[in-house]
Amino acid sequence: MSYASVDQLQKVLTKKVFHYAKDSKKAAGRALGTLVEIITFYALKSWGLERHVAIERPLPEFGNDDITHNVEYSLHPSTPLMAVGFSRDTLPITAKKIAKNQELADLGITVDSMKSNSLLSNDLVLRNSCTVCDHGDTFINAYLDHLGKKTGQYSVVSLRRRPFAIFECKRVGVEEGMRKGPQTIEKAKQGAYVARTVSALQKIRLTDGSMGGLIQKRDGSFCHGDYYKLMAEIIASGDLNSFHASS
């Protein structure tokens, strides 16, 4: 069954599914937000980007690494490390088990940097984009490739800390009685704030009312111009050496 809008779907969920909750509308909104996150992840996976994905990764502000912001998904430059076959009799596949592989042991991973995550539990609960450990300016993630009746395989990659894209998944609803359109909720404001503060490309309002852009190149010089044209130029260039990457 289809609905005329997401708000109509939320009303149906409020009345027929989450009617037992203390705040049934908020519960329905959270459920829709979860659906948005699931759809986003599998869209990224279908585009062949799964080995670049980190989930709920803290991103540093541009020019101030001490301040970080968590985002639902971020895409990072990825370097494959190994592919490992396993028997289902050896479950669970934990971060500690993954780190014991010789290829990772040679990297000198410390105990303090290890995570307590499990890629695949005894009950076959899968953690997508399972972080194994932090390692300097990189971190190591594991991804399940396939799982058969008796055996399976997972891949391990090294991801650079600074991503090349981020995704915020926010459900913005219409407040009851609103006549001027959707009410911007705090979570949506947070998403916009994160996108602005982690980017090296800064917006500047020009005297004619248009939007200008300013970004510093790695050699210390500055590049400026129309914000949207400059952003398109940076995206299309593919030159990782000219510009400071967005955090």
Side-chain angles (χ1 to χ4, degrees), residues 100-144:
K100 288 180 180 178
N101 286 282
Q102 190 61 47
E103 291 88 341
L104 297 188
D106 293 340
L107 296 177
I109 298 172
T110 63
V111 177
D112 294 340
S113 67
M114 291 293 303
K115 304 296 182 182
S116 58
N117 300 328
S118 292
L119 174 64
L120 190 63
S121 72
N122 285 320
D123 299 326
L124 302 183
V125 176
L126 172 65
R127 176 184 288 271
N128 292 311
S129 304
C130 176
T131 299
V132 177
C133 65
D134 291 311
H135 188 62
D137 290 334
T138 64
F139 59 99
I140 295 173
N141 271 16
Y143 306 85
L144 183 67

Side-chain angles (χ1 to χ4, degrees), residues 4 10 13 17 26 33 37 72 81-82 110 127 135 190 196 204 216:
Q10 183 170 358
L13 291 174
V17 179
K26 182 177 290 187
E37 291 185 18
E72 274 80 14
L81 296 179
M82 61 181 181
T110 63
R127 176 184 288 271
H135 188 62
Q190 176 189 355
R196 178 175 63 83
I204 302 172
Q216 186 179 25

Side-chain angles (χ1 to χ4, degrees), residues 193-247:
Y193 172 75
V194 170
R196 178 175 63 83
T197 55
V198 303
S199 176
L201 176 59
Q202 299 299 313
K203 289 183 178 179
I204 302 172
R205 181 68 68 180
L206 303 179
T207 55
D208 62 359
S210 63
M211 193 66 69
L214 176 69
I215 189 170
Q216 186 179 25
K217 294 185 176 182
R218 290 189 180 277
D219 61 7
S221 62
F222 290 90
C223 183
H224 59 86
D226 178 84
Y227 176 81
Y228 300 102
K229 290 181 179 179
L230 182 58
M231 181 166 59
E233 178 185 340
I234 293 170
I235 294 172
S237 71
D239 186 354
L240 299 179
N241 296 318
S242 294
F243 300 100
H244 282 286
S246 297
S247 297

